[in-house]
Amino acid sequence: FEPEHGYDLILMSESAQYIWLDSLFPRVRRVAPGGHLLLADYFVVVNDGSQAARSGHPLDGFLERAAEYGCELRRREDVTEQTAPTLALASSWLDRYGVKIAAVLAERADRRHPWLYGLGDKLFGGRVRRKLEQERTLCDPEVFRRLKRYEFMLFGVPDDAAAGG
């Protein structure tokens, strides 16, 4: 995104986690000099090596990078507890419907085309089951609370021209 003009505010909702920090903050400085970055996202606070700890930037690293690029943290609110009901609902739906739907589809495929199902299960079955289990773990509110924080943050973005840079 190469804007034709600057912006007063950049709003990011669960998207900062997909951008390398060495790309994010320089771009923010170019797009919103003298403005603000407002984001709502989750961050890793405990990296236990699990799949659940792989998504999201490490919180301390994110804040350090923001400071290195001159983005001043002006407000911060941890809303992790408020996300728990949504995660619990997603986990419940996945348990009630996602796993059952996958089982019904697998059974139906096995009955209609057993040889094709057998080949597909050998090639992809384990991967599908692992993916479903990963999704269940990612939606588990207790796992989320232990490994992550969901935060709203407001940063002031430096005006390079005013700072002489």
Side-chain angles (χ1 to χ4, degrees), residues 55-72:
S55 65
H57 291 295
L59 179 59
D60 291 341
F62 186 88
L63 294 171
E64 287 170 12
R65 281 302 221 211
E68 286 173 17
Y69 283 99
C71 294
E72 176 190 350

Side-chain angles (χ1 to χ4, degrees), residues 21-137:
L21 298 182
D22 287 333
S23 298
L24 174 66
F25 292 110
R27 182 65 57 137
V28 165
R29 287 180 66 144
R30 279 198 306 274
V31 174
H36 293 88
L37 167 63
L38 175 61
L39 62 90
D41 218 324
Y42 59 83
F43 299 89
V44 176
V45 292
V46 173
N47 187 346
D48 65 357
S50 69
Q51 180 69 28
R54 291 185 190 162
S55 65
H57 291 295
L59 179 59
D60 291 341
F62 186 88
L63 294 171
E64 287 170 12
R65 281 302 221 211
E68 286 173 17
Y69 283 99
C71 294
E72 176 190 350
L73 183 60
R74 298 201 174 146
R75 182 142 189 227
R76 177 178 171 190
E77 185 174 349
D78 181 344
V79 294
T80 305
E81 285 307 311
Q82 289 89 333
T83 66
T86 302
L87 289 169
L89 180 62
S91 183
S92 172
W93 282 2
L94 193 56
D95 285 343
R96 282 188 191 161
Y97 304 111
V99 173
K100 288 178 184 175
I101 289 170
V104 166
L105 292 175
E107 180 185 332
R108 187 169 283 178
D110 189 23
R111 270 191 280 134
R112 289 189 178 177
H113 307 286
W115 67 271
L116 188 58
Y117 171 78
L119 177 64
D121 190 52
K122 284 185 185 213
L123 294 174
F124 306 109
R127 199 174 329 159
V128 170
R129 282 187 287 278
R130 281 191 304 275
K131 183 66 175 164
L132 265 175
E133 189 55 40
Q134 287 173 358
E135 291 301 320
R136 290 174 77 195
T137 302

